Amino acid sequence: MENSKKDIGLILAIAFASAAVSGSLVFFGLQFGNNNDLKVSVLDAQIDEAVERYVEKKQLEAEEQMAVAAEEETRNSAELAKNVMPISEDDHVFGNKDAKITLIEYSDFHCGFCKKFHPIAKEILAMYEGDVNWVYRHYPLGYPQRAAMEQALASECAGEIGGSEKFWEYAQGIFDEGPADDVALIALAEKLGLDGKAFEACLSNDKYLEKIAAQRQNGMDSGVQGTPGTFVYNNETGEVYLVKGAQSASMFANIIDEMI
Amino acid sequence: MKKIKLREGDQAPDFEIQDQEGDLRTLEEFNGKLLLLYFYPKDNTPGCTNEACGFRDSYDDLIRYVHVVGVSGDSVDSHQKFAGRHGLQFPLLADTKKEMIHAYGADGVFFSRRVSFLINREGTIVKIYEKVNPLEHPDEVMEEVAALQ
């Protein structure tokens, strides 16, 4: 902001000087009868050229600064990504449990882009036929608003009662109906064949509140600032890369191909 | 930080914490009255809503015997919205520094544990509810306080 003020000031100063010099030439030209038109037009062209050179130089400097900042952000992001928790027994894994690469997604059931990413992740797993699996971790953005946390708690209850398979079915069910505040959580559980009473009992004591908070904290510590935030994680080497947003399968493929 | 473990018969730790209206509430103001301090993890979660709404629904009966006060690490603003949304008639203490939560040994990893303390008129803890089922807790407390009369 300060620099752009200075730039505007400088350009105005050049323009003012240009006007002053041109005016003087015209004035003195009229006095002494010289050929002023030619002199003014040559001077104007020189001033225009100087302004253009100055603007071009400033643009180059700004681009260089942006490139340096982007490089630094990438370096910081890579460093923070190392904090992401490797897969554990607490995770719900979709696909081959022994896959070399895992997509560790930090997600929020109340987020439209997370809903958009859900089929993309499935597409990626299909592309790599067992070499890539997928882990869903909670990062409720609407937190502490009720719906985002409640839906996250409900999905964990579905996983507790029906295993990881039901967790994923439940997650798909929430996304199919959402993003919405009023997903009928117990009805959805029953629709998927889960025991409604057991589900309600699980949901009513906030059993997974600490787990969800811990996942969200780990996401934040690892550089996730929005959802979906997906780490491409090499389970053999620990190499990890954060992809921000609901990016395309081909974009993920570029990273995965480098790791495999 | 060393975790505190209170036992029945212990003196209840003092507190001075703002409620959802921003008013300071102390243990002293409840001297001479039976008090239930119920600690819960977080405003607006399903369990905490069930528990608070249970106390709300039983409030007219409960208040004949005992004062009910909720405590969590949420802010005054959060408590105000939570209490307003569900029409809660009792104080919710905003222990944002988690000092009271720690003093009562109610600390969890990120939130307060769900645990309640029944404190008699002399400020002594007469009952600790370590395993709280949010749906059943208000009735459980009602039975206990009625029996104490």
Side-chain angles (χ1 to χ4, degrees):
Chain A
M1 181 65 85
E2 199 58 34
N3 282 341
S4 69
K5 275 184 186 169
K6 280 180 189 167
D7 292 347
I8 291 166
L10 195 58
I11 289 167
L12 285 174
I14 292 169
F16 179 76
S18 160
V21 172
S22 304
S24 304
L25 285 169
V26 170
F27 176 77
F28 288 112
L30 287 173
Q31 296 295 311
F32 302 108
N34 289 341
N35 184 0
N36 293 306
D37 287 350
L38 181 61
K39 285 179 185 171
V40 169
S41 101
V42 168
L43 193 59
D44 275 352
Q46 285 173 340
I47 290 168
D48 286 349
E49 201 178 314
V51 169
E52 275 172 25
R53 273 204 308 273
Y54 180 78
V55 170
E56 195 176 330
K57 183 182 165 211
K58 284 291 167 191
Q59 276 175 344
L60 277 172
E61 281 175 10
E63 280 168 18
E64 276 171 21
Q65 280 172 3
M66 281 169 66
V68 169
E71 198 177 315
E72 195 178 331
E73 193 190 331
T74 305
R75 210 166 33 242
N76 290 342
S77 175
E79 203 53 41
L80 284 174
K82 291 176 188 168
N83 294 327
V84 73
M85 289 183 295
I87 304 178
S88 78
E89 287 181 357
D90 282 343
D91 284 313
H92 300 289
V93 182
F94 191 97
N96 175 17
K97 284 196 163 33
D98 300 320
K100 184 177 177 182
I101 304 292
T102 298
L103 304 179
I104 304 175
E105 181 196 1
Y106 285 79
S107 180
D108 174 11
F109 288 119
H110 218 253
C111 142
F113 285 105
C114 299
K115 175 176 178 164
K116 187 179 168 192
F117 181 66
H118 220 63
I120 295 173
K122 287 181 179 174
E123 185 187 341
I124 297 166
L125 263 64
M127 281 164 66
Y128 286 91
E129 297 176 340
D131 284 336
V132 177
N133 61 20
W134 177 25
V135 158
Y136 184 104
R137 289 183 183 159
H138 302 282
Y139 194 102
L141 280 176
Y143 181 77
Q145 284 171 3
R146 184 171 177 170
M149 179 57 94
E150 197 172 39
Q151 290 166 10
L153 287 165
S155 68
E156 287 296 328
C157 287
E160 176 188 301
I161 297 164
S164 269
E165 191 182 332
K166 288 294 174 189
F167 168 86
W168 287 101
E169 284 181 31
Y170 199 88
Q172 184 65 61
I174 297 175
F175 280 131
D176 287 347
E177 292 188 30
D181 284 345
D182 55 354
V183 175
L185 300 173
I186 296 168
L188 177 57
E190 287 172 337
K191 187 177 151 191
L192 296 175
L194 298 171
D195 179 341
K197 281 191 178 167
F199 181 85
E200 195 173 359
C202 172
L203 190 58
S204 70
N205 69 13
D206 302 332
K207 192 171 176 184
Y208 291 97
L209 204 57
E210 292 280 355
K211 175 180 177 179
I212 292 164
Q215 290 189 345
R216 188 174 187 271
Q217 186 62 51
N218 180 248
M220 288 166 73
D221 293 345
S222 309
V224 176
Q225 293 172 325
T227 55
T230 306
F231 294 90
V232 181
Y233 190 90
N234 186 324
N235 294 302
E236 291 176 3
T237 64
E239 187 184 359
V240 60
Y241 189 88
L242 172 61
V243 179
K244 296 175 183 177
Q247 303 292 342
S248 65
S250 58
M251 194 274 183
F252 274 89
N254 289 336
I255 299 162
I256 294 167
D257 289 345
E258 287 287 317
M259 284 189 181
I260 276 184
Chain B
M1 194 183 290
K2 193 181 173 190
K3 192 153 184 171
I4 289 165
K5 175 78 181 162
L6 293 177
R7 292 185 173 79
E8 291 170 2
D10 285 350
Q11 194 66 20
D14 281 334
F15 57 82
E16 191 177 85
I17 306 268
Q18 283 183 310
D19 66 12
Q20 69 266 41
E21 302 301 329
D23 296 330
L24 273 182
R25 310 304 291 256
T26 64
L27 179 63
E28 199 181 355
E29 73 179 84
F30 294 100
N31 279 352
K33 298 164 188 165
L34 205 53
L35 170 67
L36 180 83
L37 278 180
Y38 85 91
F39 291 79
Y40 64 95
K42 192 100 191 97
D43 290 344
N44 292 311
T45 58
C48 300
T49 305
N50 284 333
E51 192 175 17
C53 291
F55 283 124
R56 176 200 63 195
D57 295 343
S58 307
Y59 190 73
D60 289 346
D61 292 329
L62 281 165
I63 196 64
R64 290 159 52 204
Y65 305 106
V66 63
H67 287 268
V68 175
V69 173
V71 188
S72 79
D74 296 293
S75 65
V76 169
D77 186 47
S78 170
H79 277 343
Q80 198 169 48
K81 286 176 184 156
F82 183 50
R85 186 175 297 135
H86 299 288
L88 308 180
Q89 324 90 315
F90 46 85
L92 299 176
L93 305 189
D95 186 19
T96 52
K97 293 181 181 168
K98 300 191 178 171
E99 289 170 349
M100 182 176 174
I101 290 168
H102 179 66
Y104 278 80
D107 348 38
V109 181
F110 288 92
F111 308 106
S112 164
R113 287 190 299 123
R114 198 182 297 285
V115 56
S116 298
F117 298 83
L118 188 60
I119 298 165
N120 72 10
R121 294 166 180 80
E122 289 74 44
T124 304
I125 296 168
V126 291
K127 173 90 178 169
I128 300 176
Y129 300 87
E130 282 286 353
K131 287 185 181 173
V132 172
N133 179 329
L135 292 169
E136 295 166 2
H137 194 40
D139 289 343
E140 175 183 40
V141 171
M142 186 67 211
E143 276 179 31
E144 185 85 26
V145 294
L148 281 175
Q149 298 308 304

